[in-house]
Amino acid sequence: MSLETNKIAAAVLTAGVIAMTSGFIAGILVHPHQLKESVYKVEGVQQAAAPAAAAPPAIEPVGPLLAAADLAAGEAQSKKCTACHTFTQGGPNRVGPNLWDIVGAKHAHAEGFAYSDAIKSKSGNWDYEELNHFLASPRTYAPGTKMAFAGLPRVADRAALIAYLRTLSASPKPLP
Ligand code: HEC
């Protein structure tokens, strides 16, 4: 190997050693720390550090819709219930309890019906918004309920049905 080649190799080696050493020393002198969140937030880009918990969808109230609700549409909705419920005064309990005069009745109102603890443990009455929440999603309202019904996702359907249920009474409760 010629002297020139040796010099070049030595220069390259020295440069390498200096680069490594300075990187090492810089690492000791400066302690970079990672930010928990990026400082510049880009609209629409998910922050990996803070995953948003999926909030349960809010249930729209039926109260403001009841007075103008379509009773015929409500009666049509009630056909989804008659596989399990009767609606007539003094009607029998079937898979589910009789629902005559259900608006304003206490939870687990029917004599002789074997309710789940989920319904029995609810205090208070079936007022309009309790029925609204139950009918939107029985399992969300009362986890463990025996009522195997998926629920009515549309607030207009629930309002119509609840307005119809209100009429199934000798003395319908006042509208809200
Ligand atoms: C597959 C059968 C089934 C269908 C369909 C069904 N239900 Fe029920 N329902 C039940 C059962 C069973 C219970 C008792 C729930 C429990 O004890 O957990 C119940 C309970 C209820 C209660 C509570 C009554 C009380 O005395 O506390 C109401 C109100 C009710 N259902 C309304 C409805 C309406 C309105 C519909 C139609 C949109 C409907 N259900 C559809 C089976 C059904």
Side-chain angles (χ1 to χ4, degrees):
M1 213 186 274
S2 79
L3 189 62
E4 279 310 302
T5 335
N6 268 342
K7 278 183 182 166
I8 292 169
V12 170
L13 205 69
T14 311
V17 170
I18 290 171
M20 272 171 58
T21 319
S22 55
F24 178 69
I25 293 170
I28 294 174
L29 294 179
V30 181
H31 303 278
H33 54 268
Q34 295 286 319
L35 295 177
K36 289 204 180 70
E37 273 184 85
S38 52
V39 175
Y40 297 103
K41 294 193 175 129
V42 181
E43 201 82 37
V45 173
Q46 194 83 35
Q47 291 286 314
I59 294 172
E60 292 168 81
V62 288
L65 304 176
L66 288 174
D70 181 345
L71 294 179
E75 186 170 8
Q77 288 294 329
S78 77
K79 302 285 179 266
K80 295 174 180 165
C81 324
T82 49
C84 302
H85 292 284
T86 60
F87 289 103
T88 49
Q89 185 166 18
N93 299 328
R94 295 224 171 106
V95 177
N98 171 259
L99 292 181
W100 173 259
D101 209 8
I102 190 65
V103 171
K106 63 183 200 288
H107 289 96
H109 83 294
E111 292 289 323
F113 185 85
Y115 288 96
S116 67
D117 289 338
I119 293 293
K120 275 193 288 191
S121 65
K122 294 267 177 198
S123 56
N125 295 342
W126 285 115
D127 66 23
Y128 295 114
E129 297 306 337
E130 291 281 309
L131 283 168
N132 179 35
H133 280 244
F134 181 52
L135 295 176
S137 174
R139 261 163 287 193
T140 309
Y141 171 88
T145 179
K146 292 202 287 183
M147 176 153 139
F149 180 73
L152 298 172
R154 293 184 57 229
V155 66
D157 291 345
R158 298 194 302 272
L161 175 58
I162 293 167
Y164 171 70
L165 291 176
R166 171 180 173 269
T167 66
L168 306 177
S169 171
S171 51
K173 303 294 175 295
L175 286 167

